[in-house]
Amino acid sequence: MGISHAMTGAVAWSALQLIHPQTTPVLVAGLAVTAGAALIPDLDHRDSTASRSLGPLTWVLCRVVQAVSGGHRRATHSLAGCATLAIAVQMAVQARPGVVGTVATAVLLAVILASVVHLVPLRAFKRGWLDEILAAVVAIALAMWPGLDLAMLGPAVLVGTLVHALGDAITRQGIPFWWPISRKNVRLARFKAGGWTERWVLRPAFVLAIPALLFWEPVMSFLGR
């Protein structure tokens, strides 16, 4: 389910903070991007959060992704699919400030950010286009910001999409992680998607893990004084 995928993306980026400390802006941006990117593989399903996040734009993207990837939980849930998307994002970022690179970066960011905002349970976001407009404005501003370093986008997208794939790998259906080398589904466990384990065990664990990882170093430093 969307909220679980987004939370795993944020947990993964928080964990990276322990290995490779980041500046506050990069940390905050990375949390948002990995959470959104962790929803993007499900653009291959018309009812997913990502497919409904930007109205007609993601509706069309969903149909294209479905046709290219072979359907739900196929190419987009593979290592090759995750790497391809991350490379595409990085190429778009590196092509800035050119027009093509700026537009591509803005569109990709808009889809990623809109997917996250779409999960926010605010009534204002459930009526009209406020969430889509907010995501688009922020994405355009970031893509056009002179001299803004967006080098973290590619790695953040790779982390987010990979944790999505691994999250689906622990469900009963599994995923073709090694596609196109092998189309056989990989199953690391057999949890039911949306079941009680996800709702009452995994999600609370994610909620606790994010602040614990983010504040681990400061707390340990304080206690060590």
Side-chain angles (χ1 to χ4, degrees):
M1 298 180 71
I3 186 65
S4 298
H5 282 308
M7 292 173 72
T8 59
V11 168
W13 194 257
S14 301
L16 288 177
Q17 168 76 0
L18 298 179
I19 303 171
H20 182 68
Q22 307 150 31
T23 62
T24 300
V26 172
L27 177 61
V28 173
L31 286 172
V33 173
T34 49
L39 300 168
I40 298 304
D42 277 346
L43 268 174
D44 60 7
H45 194 293
R46 66 182 182 181
D47 293 326
S48 69
T49 301
S51 297
R52 293 181 284 111
S53 61
L54 273 179
L57 173 60
T58 44
W59 185 89
V60 172
L61 277 175
C62 174
R63 269 54 183 182
V64 173
V65 171
Q66 283 180 326
V68 173
S69 67
H72 184 47
R73 287 203 183 188
R74 305 313 302 166
T76 61
H77 289 64
S78 68
L79 175 61
C82 296
T84 298
L85 178 58
I87 291 171
V89 169
Q90 202 64 16
M91 289 176 63
V93 169
Q94 292 177 350
R96 296 165 59 243
V99 174
V100 174
T102 300
V103 172
T105 301
V107 171
L108 290 167
L109 269 175
V111 174
I112 290 171
L113 296 178
S115 297
V116 177
V117 176
H118 199 73
L119 292 173
V120 179
L122 292 181
R123 187 173 182 180
F125 286 173
K126 303 306 176 185
R127 295 186 177 184
W129 290 70
L130 181 58
D131 53 345
E132 289 90 344
I133 293 172
L134 176 62
V137 169
V138 173
I140 293 171
L142 292 175
M144 297 183 66
W145 196 308
L148 181 63
D149 185 8
L150 296 176
M152 47 71 64
L153 283 184
V157 168
L158 180 61
V159 170
T161 52
L162 278 177
V163 295
H164 177 112
L166 293 175
D168 281 352
I170 66 173
T171 62
R172 297 172 183 175
Q173 182 181 345
I175 56 164
F177 189 73
W178 302 113
W179 178 95
I181 298 174
S182 172
R183 297 179 183 273
K184 183 179 180 179
N185 279 3
V186 173
R187 298 181 185 86
L188 302 179
R190 292 183 178 274
F191 291 111
K192 179 183 178 181
W196 70 269
T197 304
E198 177 182 345
R199 293 175 181 273
W200 304 110
V201 178
L202 296 180
R203 284 188 190 175
F206 297 151
V207 170
L208 295 173
I210 294 173
L213 291 167
L214 289 177
F215 297 107
W216 179 266
E217 288 292 344
V219 170
M220 288 298 101
S221 298
F222 176 79
L223 294 177
R225 289 178 180 178

